[in-house]
Structure formats: structure tokens, C-alpha cells
Amino acid sequence: MLSERRYHITVCRGPECGDRRGSRALYEAFLASVAAHRLAHRCQVRWQSCFGRCTQGPNVLVREVTPEPPGPTPENGAAASPRATALYNAVDAVNVDEVVSQHVGAGVVVRALIQPPSLLGSRALSPSGSRR
Ligand code: FES
């Protein structure tokens, strides 16, 4: 049942997302949005040090952590339950309510906020343009 689903919202605080792109404000916005949508009973906002997608930050992983129900498993013939998990990229404060209401509230991934891996690689550029 959808109302029983549980999620972790994990905000990157790595040196690129955190120091350069202000993920602290994003973290606070997620806390406020989860509370405003009355979803705190089934959603935890957490930190992560780096997802390896630094050039596309701030990055936020929303992962369903609903425990598997007891009983049949995919290995013994039961269908797997779909899990709504996504790594959102270049997240801005204006996106927070949409992610919380759609993903956590309705179990629907916000595909418009997902970018393919960067052609620039995962490491941030220094101010001079060289790889750090
Ligand atoms: S610093 Fe955020 S993905 Fe690396």
C-alpha cells in the first residue's frame, strides 16, 4: 500500500554540492517541506558526503526504504514491488516541494530533475578550469 512506503531523502554535502552550491539551504528546505506536507512519519532527511556526480550538484538521492513484506519473494515466483528511487541533479530550492509531494507523497519519480551522467566526468573543476 502506498501510504506505508518509507523514504530517505539524502542531500549531498560534499565539497562541491555543500561548499560551492549551498546544499545546507537545500537540506533545510527539504526538512521544512517534509513537515509542511505532513510526511515526517515516513520520510527521513539525511546527509551524504558525495555521490560522485559533483559537476551536476547539488545532488539529492530519494530512496524508498520500505521493508519488504514477509512472504513470497521474486526468487520464489512473486512479482517484485516497484521501488521509487532517483538521484536528482542540480536541485534548486524551487524543486523541493515537487520532489517531496510527488516522490515521497505519491511514489512518482520527478524525471525532469534527473540528468544523465555528465560528459565532464564526476570531478569538479577548479576555478582555473583544471580538474581537482
Ligand atoms: S560533492 Fe556532491 S556529488 Fe560530489
Side-chain angles (χ1 to χ4, degrees), residues 20-107:
R20 292 179 174 223
R21 302 179 194 227
S23 66
R24 165 58 76 179
L26 209 50
Y27 178 90
E28 299 294 336
F30 272 106
L31 285 176
S33 182
V34 166
H37 286 88
R38 300 178 190 268
L39 292 169
H41 62 290
R42 58 191 186 94
C43 180
Q44 183 180 26
V45 182
R46 307 150 53 110
W47 287 115
Q48 165 82 23
S49 58
C50 183
F51 290 111
R53 299 276 295 274
C54 310
T55 58
Q56 295 174 293
N59 296 299
V60 177
L61 178 69
V62 179
R63 184 169 70 96
E64 184 176 346
V65 294
T66 308
E68 290 291 338
T73 65
E75 290 75 28
N76 65 17
S81 60
R83 291 200 171 245
T85 296
L87 179 65
Y88 295 110
N89 314 109
V91 180
D92 189 272
V94 299
N95 308 127
V96 168
D97 272 343
E98 183 178 16
V99 171
V100 170
S101 65
Q102 290 298 304
H103 196 145
V104 178

